[in-house]
Amino acid sequence: MREVGPRDGLQMAGSIMRTEAKIRWIIDLVSAGIGEIEVGSFVSPKLVPQMADTGEIVAAARGLSGPRVSVLVPNLRSAQAAYEAGAQEIDIPVSVSEGHSRANVNKTPWEQVGEVRKIVEWSRAQTRPLHIRAGCATAFGCSIDGVIPAAQVLHVTTALLEAGVDDLVLADTVGYGHPALVTSLVRAVQNEAGPRLIGLHLHDTMGLGLANALAGLEQGIRCFDSALAGVGGCPFAPGASGNIVTEDLAACRVWVGC
């Protein structure tokens, strides 16, 4: 279970949570046993003011015992800032659909793959290891471009593997996925990526988030993003609702014996 509320949840908030409150939240998550937390994103504070204190949050989280501290970065400059702040993992969003990619990072998917390649090359030259995840946004559908063919997802994931990312996550950014689609797409990507496809980032727009998580679990996925109370969404994806609920995912984890 990977908590993304402090990033994905707060980026949609109408107000800005105080830094001290964010840190308290993260401390409580760690106390509850969460081992990996996406604590923020290094993005323009003009575009996402809720993330302006991410450097402070990373420093505080690194002072805790246990959690893997992750942040979202859209480009090389952000990755360098994350590294300097002490992040252990970066999550780079790469939209499969062109409409969402242009809205989210102002690049085509292939231009963003090129940015990922720059980040990988730069990070490998540093003295401290930096784990690099690529999150394939809108893999299960897009509220801008509509249905996303599986072949389109495979083109992007294959390019990301060739760029040298450590692992991949398929993201249902707008919550259009359903169990049959999750099963078929995970299988297709696993045929190319093998164990480097490690996780799913699921939203609950259609109320199928937990069912989709179970479908992924049945295909061998063992890493799931979730947010406390199901907060979240994407400011650049019309109609996207919150993430799957951490509390519910924890309960399901007990039921299925994971």
Side-chain angles (χ1 to χ4, degrees), residues 44-197:
S44 169
K46 293 181 180 179
L47 295 175
V48 190
Q50 297 88 343
M51 298 290 105
D53 59 353
T54 294
E56 296 176 67
I57 301 300
V58 169
R62 283 302 310 270
L64 302 175
S65 176
R68 187 181 198 178
V69 179
S70 177
V71 293
L72 181 140
V73 303
N75 52 47
L76 176 58
R77 180 181 297 180
S78 297
Q80 291 168 335
Y83 182 86
E84 291 300 320
Q88 297 161 300
E89 176 181 89
I90 56 173
D91 190 357
I92 312 170
V94 182
S95 302
V96 176
S97 71
E98 180 151 347
H100 184 263
S101 186
R102 290 188 180 279
N104 193 39
V105 295
N106 197 29
K107 292 182 176 72
T108 68
W110 306 112
E111 289 171 338
Q112 184 65 355
V113 169
E115 193 71 21
V116 171
R117 188 174 293 108
K118 292 178 185 177
I119 294 171
V120 171
E121 291 173 353
W122 175 84
S123 69
R124 300 305 184 235
Q126 307 311 304
T127 56
R128 179 171 61 83
L130 184 64
H131 193 87
I132 300 175
R133 288 178 21 142
C136 300
T138 63
F140 299 92
C142 176
S143 54
I144 300 172
D145 290 0
V147 174
I148 304 298
Q152 192 170 332
V153 179
L154 290 171
H155 286 157
V156 173
T157 54
T158 299
L160 289 169
L161 293 171
E162 292 173 351
V165 299
D166 292 306
D167 43 47
L168 297 171
V169 171
L170 297 179
D172 189 11
T173 309
V174 293
Y176 286 1
H178 54 80
L181 177 58
V182 170
T183 297
S184 63
L185 190 58
V186 166
R187 285 177 177 173
V189 176
Q190 283 174 331
N191 286 337
E192 300 294 329
R196 289 168 72 184
L197 174 60

Side-chain angles (χ1 to χ4, degrees), residues 211-229:
N212 291 337
L214 181 58
L217 185 72
E218 290 174 340
Q219 301 309 312
I221 299 297
R222 292 295 181 267
C223 179
F224 298 91
D225 290 357
S226 63
L228 201 70

